[in-house]
Amino acid sequence: MLVAPSILSADFLNLGSEVQAVCRAGCDYVHIDVMDGHFVPNLTIGPLVVQKVAQIASKPLDIHLMVENVSSFVDMFIPLNPEFISIHFEEEKHLHRMIAHIRNSNIRPSVVLNPHTSEEGLKYILEDIDMVLIMSVNPGFGGQQFIPNIYKKIQNIKNMIIQKNPNCLIEVDGGVNDKNIALLKQSGVDMVVAGSYIFGSDNYEKAIFSLR
Ligand code: DX5
Ligand code: ZN
């Protein structure tokens, strides 16, 4: 299981050392939640702060954009050279074009589905993306309860991936912990985001290891 700690639950007064600590503790990616106060009812950080994080992170960035005006935000984050940029299915009208734009910028494109969003629409873009990010909470905040009916959706998406693009990864974001990780793995998940579970623990290495 690949593990991407979400810095949303990090101590922002010590963001640099928090990022270095999870990288040292063996995470695979650093998950960055960008919120604009419109697409979700919360505000977080923008490209200025993320650029600083990119400079000190020894692991690649996994950027999750929870924003309106996706295209202008994508263009702000491309120069930071993250591994993945994830954009929400619900927000971008020209998803296919935006995926191609991310790919042509040498960044791996990923599409995010909110808990209520059907996986049906993925059919037409699955071959063009490297990852599907499945929200297991309503986006906007860390520390929320995992929504259990997401398992069925994960399995449906796994079946679509096997048929259409076996290299495409499945990432799950929200409420992930040591209690649900085994079932997530069994359901076909390749990578998990964990914020409060990792940053709320007193040993990041142990927390990451317990998810892996
Ligand atoms: C929620 C964010 C998540 C969040 C996860 O909108 O996308 O990445 O930080 O936090 P936990 O793991 O605490 O649910
Ligand atoms: Zn996220």
Side-chain angles (χ1 to χ4, degrees):
M1 182 68 85
L2 298 166
V3 181
S6 160
I7 61 164
L8 191 58
S9 294
D11 173 4
F12 270 70
L13 284 179
N14 295 294
L15 189 55
S17 51
E18 289 275 74
V19 170
Q20 287 171 323
V22 283
C23 289
R24 264 200 314 272
C27 73
D28 297 285
Y29 298 98
V30 177
H31 185 84
I32 312 274
D33 291 301
V34 176
M35 305 185 189
D36 68 348
H38 296 281
F39 181 72
V40 285
N42 198 4
L43 272 173
T44 56
I45 54 174
L48 279 179
V49 176
V50 181
Q51 185 183 21
K52 293 292 175 192
V53 171
Q55 280 168 12
I56 51 112
S58 58
K59 300 293 168 66
L61 303 188
D62 170 30
I63 297 185
H64 176 192
L65 296 180
M66 286 159 276
V67 297
E68 292 183 354
N69 301 318
V70 178
S71 62
S72 57
F73 279 98
V74 162
D75 285 338
M76 289 179 208
F77 287 99
I78 282 174
L80 308 186
N81 201 25
E83 178 85 7
F84 297 98
I85 292 183
S86 296
I87 55 177
H88 270 262
F89 183 90
E90 301 82 12
E91 181 54 31
E92 178 54 41
K93 285 195 194 76
H94 306 287
L95 197 55
H96 186 271
R97 181 160 62 202
M98 192 53 58
I99 290 164
H101 176 52
I102 295 170
R103 171 84 67 204
N104 292 336
S105 309
N106 290 320
I107 290 161
R108 302 175 74 186
S110 156
V111 167
V112 198
L113 303 183
N114 271 337
H116 73 279
T117 305
S118 166
E119 61 275 18
E120 277 301 294
L122 283 180
K123 277 205 287 232
Y124 304 105
I125 50 157
L126 205 48
E127 277 140 304
D128 305 307
I129 58 179
D130 283 3
M131 186 162 80
V132 178
L133 172 47
I134 304 172
M135 292 308 300
S136 41
V137 296
N138 290 293
F141 304 93
Q144 302 182 81
Q145 283 272 322
F146 185 88
I147 301 171
N149 69 13
I150 237 71
Y151 290 115
K152 181 74 194 134
K153 191 187 207 170
I154 297 169
Q155 286 159 5
N156 292 344
I157 292 173
K158 186 70 184 177
N159 290 334
M160 292 166 79
I161 282 178
I162 290 168
Q163 286 173 20
K164 288 184 176 284
N165 180 6
N167 293 325
C168 182
L169 300 172
I170 296 182
E171 181 178 38
V172 165
D173 185 1
V176 172
N177 56 40
D178 56 345
K179 309 278 183 302
N180 49 30
I181 193 72
L183 197 47
L184 288 170
K185 183 72 195 172
Q186 275 173 40
S187 309
V189 176
D190 304 288
M191 162 148 50
V192 286
V193 176
S196 50
Y197 177 70
I198 293 173
F199 284 102
S201 78
D202 48 19
N203 185 330
Y204 296 169
E205 200 173 337
K206 250 183 158 171
I208 291 169
F209 184 74
S210 71
L211 298 178
R212 193 183 299 295

